[in-house]
Amino acid sequence: MAAEYSYTLMPRRKQSWLFVAVSLAAYQVDNSVLGQTTRALDPNTPAVDQATGRTAFDRAEKLRIDLAVNPPAPAPALSRGVPFEKRGGADRAAQTRTQKPVDPSARYDNLREKGVWFNIPGPADTIAQDKGGGRSALADIGIGYAAWTHNSFANNLLPNAARSPIANQLYMGQNPTFASANFLIVTYDLSRFGISDGQIVLGIEQQYSTWDRPGPNRVGLNTLAYYQTFFDRAVELKLGYLRNQNEFTGTLLGGITGSNMSALFQAGMSTNATPTPTVNLKYNFDDRLYNKASVQRSISPDGAYAHITENPIGLNWSTANAGILLVNEAGYKSKAAAGLPDTWLRAGVGLNSSRYTSFADPKQPRESSNNFHYLAADRQFWQSDAGGTPSRGIYGGLSIMGAPADVNKIGRYYELRLYAKGAFDSRPSDLISLVASKTIWSKFAVNAALAKGQLAHRDTTAITGTYTAHLAPGIYAAVGLSYIHNPTSITHTPQNEHALNLLISTLILF
């Protein structure tokens, strides 16, 4: 049986697309701006980088990807609300005739992490698959696992790039920058004991970078969660040490670019490197319309760098000055089908009781709370293989995020994106993306820099194009170029007003 699974498993391309998109996107994009934000809030470090140096580890970061938010049902479960009835021999024969062949990899669906807005690819899209039968043996006792490594490189190709000692580096790519994030997620199926869709999830993460401003190197907890559903899957409950970047918003996109969530991280949302105690509750009005709410212990109001420094393993209940973050997201999500384009609309708000330092009056004691809002939409415009793989085609999307400028370094973030999944018949699992973004910096922080006689800018603009190739089961490689006007945050020198970053990334799933 082990050999049989090894040779018959077929890639689930749509699920792989979303996971690869998020993993590469989050890891490359979100953390350069996050690095700037956390460094700006850390009184012991100078100002830092921008949203589009695009590399680092969130380790989404963002791992950050475009699948149904609802967790898949164990095969061969039927659709929600459609009970299976035993019938006479004629009916059973009719069912047998109309039943589609069972995908051998479907037995692992119930072992993937549930509650996140993406699905990690199944064994078919890994290097190991089920060679030797080890994965099957674990699945037989209810254990599933996913392991992957994401490695990336960024380098400014422009002459006179104002190279600096690593300790004084201001953005990803100013010096040739390498980063690596490695993950192991293990799940245990509780539905075998009669708990509806029940699951325990344990994840660990190791991250390393030659430039640590987005967050120091660490080995620690990624997630420790309990999940189950109620009322015929109308309600989903997930609690534990969670990283809400994988539970809300969605970084949807192919390649090494993606929706930048740093505007939300600075306002307290947890990341892959900063899991915090959380309770998430989602209500599914039907198969497409949902509302998801969260009560989360905020990450440090001084940012991810300060949070990881104080809590590197990730098991602390809280960090200094951190309060409670309330998040709510309403959305509509429909999966691609023949003649039905893939669509995801979502909007959310967050309220944070943490004690932030005010940029408007930094001499005052900490007393300011925080909040954020976001709106995002992604829509498939054209299906290139509606009858075969309907998720293949051309997509467009936008994101708008905002937070109060008096306590956040990033006041607003705008993004437009165009991307294609499986654009070429000869390369049906590849991704192409083009992303334009603008980050608006806090007017209070900008004015304070100008008052000190520093060169300062009020916004950063970036245009990034990437191509992600699926080279073999479990192996992806991406290459891209990102032009950034003002790659640093707020302050700059005449030598670092522009950057043209070469981005190279690999994702390997085991």
Side-chain angles (χ1 to χ4, degrees):
M1 287 298 293
E4 180 181 342
Y5 277 112
S6 173
Y7 290 103
T8 58
L9 290 175
M10 298 298 292
R12 295 193 159 194
R13 288 170 180 162
K14 183 175 180 182
Q15 295 175 347
S16 300
W17 273 329
L18 191 49
F19 174 76
V20 172
V22 169
S23 181
L24 295 174
Y27 190 51
Q28 296 270 16
V29 182
D30 295 327
N31 300 293
S32 54
V33 169
L34 178 60
Q36 305 161 11
T37 303
T38 57
R39 189 164 180 171
L41 294 174
D42 185 346
N44 297 320
T45 55
V48 193
D49 152 37
Q50 188 285 331
T52 48
R54 309 224 174 215
T55 317
F57 6 73
D58 210 23
R59 292 174 226 331
E61 272 109 358
K62 264 191 204 150
L63 281 177
R64 323 347 190 250
I65 341 198
D66 159 43
L67 269 175
V69 175
N70 296 331
L78 299 176
S79 300
R80 175 184 157 202
V82 183
F84 180 82
E85 299 180 15
K86 294 185 178 180
R87 301 184 182 276
D91 286 345
R92 285 197 299 269
Q95 292 170 357
T96 302
R97 287 195 301 271
T98 58
Q99 207 172 36
K100 294 182 179 179
V102 176
D103 182 349
S105 64
R107 66 183 304 222
Y108 300 101
D109 284 350
N110 204 44
L111 300 176
R112 300 183 186 188
E113 182 183 358
K114 299 176 181 181
V116 293
W117 53 265
F118 64 89
N119 266 336
I120 297 170
D125 197 12
T126 63
I127 291 178
Q129 298 188 358
D130 192 31
K131 295 181 175 72
R135 199 183 296 263
S136 291
L138 290 173
D140 289 340
I141 58 174
I143 297 175
Y145 73 89
W148 66 95
T149 178
H150 183 213
N151 300 280
S152 63
F153 174 81
N155 184 35
N156 186 357
L157 300 179
L158 295 180
N160 304 316
R163 306 293 191 194
S164 70
I166 291 177
N168 299 324
Q169 187 173 336
L170 297 176
Y171 63 90
M172 286 290 178
Q174 181 179 13
N175 296 324
T177 306
F178 172 79
S180 177
N182 304 284
F183 299 87
L184 174 64
I185 306 291
V186 179
T187 65
Y188 184 70
D189 177 23
L190 295 175
S191 64
R192 61 206 291 118
F193 303 113
I195 300 174
S196 177
D197 299 301
Q199 186 180 76
I200 294 174
V201 186
L202 172 63
I204 58 174
E205 179 225 31
Q206 181 268 335
Q207 67 182 34
Y208 167 81
S209 176
T210 56
W211 181 63
D212 70 353
R213 285 302 95 191
N217 302 332
R218 75 180 287 261
V219 177
L221 187 71
N222 174 259
T223 186
L224 177 59
Y226 172 87
Y227 173 93
Q228 80 166 95
T229 63
F230 303 89
F231 310 116
D232 195 19
R233 298 183 183 169
V235 176
E236 300 176 51
L237 170 69
K238 192 170 184 180
L239 57 88
Y241 282 80
L242 307 183
R243 65 276 199 241
N244 264 345
Q245 75 164 87
N246 294 335
E247 305 271 341
F248 290 87
T249 310
T251 50
L252 273 178
L253 230 302
I256 36 185
T257 61
S259 297
N260 192 315
M261 295 175 65
S262 294
L264 310 187
F265 300 154
Q266 66 180 357
M269 182 174 283
S270 55
T271 73
N272 279 303
T274 60
T276 61
T278 305
V279 178
N280 288 346
L281 195 65
K282 180 183 177 187
Y283 182 76
N284 301 301
F285 295 94
D286 54 31
D287 291 337
R288 300 178 182 179
L289 191 64
Y290 69 89
N291 189 84
K292 189 170 186 176
S294 176
V295 179
Q296 178 209 305
R297 172 66 73 177
S298 171
I299 70 171
S300 170
D302 293 333
Y305 191 96
H307 184 102
I308 297 171
T309 300
E310 182 178 348
N311 183 20
I313 301 300
L315 285 172
N316 291 0
W317 177 258
S318 183
T319 52
N321 298 304
I324 299 298
L325 173 65
L326 305 178
V327 184
N328 192 81
E329 176 179 294
Y332 173 92
K333 185 174 179 63
S334 66
K335 297 170 62 177
L340 179 66
D342 193 298
T343 303
W344 191 11
L345 312 174
R346 61 269 192 209
V349 296
L351 299 174
N352 193 335
S353 66
S354 299
R355 299 173 63 240
Y356 282 78
T357 298
S358 172
F359 286 132
D361 193 358
K363 295 181 180 180
Q364 293 298 316
R366 292 173 181 261
E367 58 183 18
S368 301
S369 59
N370 205 348
N371 64 81
F372 62 75
H373 60 271
Y374 62 88
L375 173 68
D378 287 84
R379 171 78 171 182
Q380 186 179 22
F381 295 133
W382 177 64
Q383 293 181 325
S384 59
D385 185 20
T389 308
S391 59
R392 287 181 58 192
I394 297 176
Y395 295 69
L398 61 85
S399 295
I400 301 171
M401 302 179 186
D406 59 335
V407 290
N408 296 284
K409 198 169 187 183
I410 301 172
R412 285 168 289 160
Y413 175 78
Y414 304 99
E415 177 181 292
L416 290 174
R417 49 190 175 266
L418 181 68
Y419 51 108
K421 299 180 179 182
F424 309 112
D425 290 337
S426 60
R427 307 289 308 171
S429 300
D430 291 1
L431 295 138
I432 305 172
S433 66
L434 180 65
V435 180
S437 66
K438 180 178 284 291
T439 301
I440 310 296
W441 302 105
S442 163
K443 63 180 180 180
F444 299 103
V446 171
N447 290 341
L450 292 173
K452 295 177 182 178
Q454 299 174 314
L455 290 175
H457 49 268
R458 298 189 180 275
D459 58 68
T460 293
T461 302
I463 300 176
T464 305
T466 61
Y467 187 96
T468 303
H470 189 185
L471 302 179
I475 302 177
Y476 293 81
V479 62
L481 280 176
S482 182
Y483 169 75
I484 312 117
H485 178 56
N486 296 323
T488 62
S489 64
I490 300 183
T491 60
H492 64 268
T493 66
Q495 292 76 29
N496 57 31
E497 285 190 70
H498 306 274
L500 180 63
N501 277 354
L502 170 66
L503 306 173
I504 300 174
S505 182
T506 60
L507 175 66
I508 301 175
L509 302 106
F510 301 99

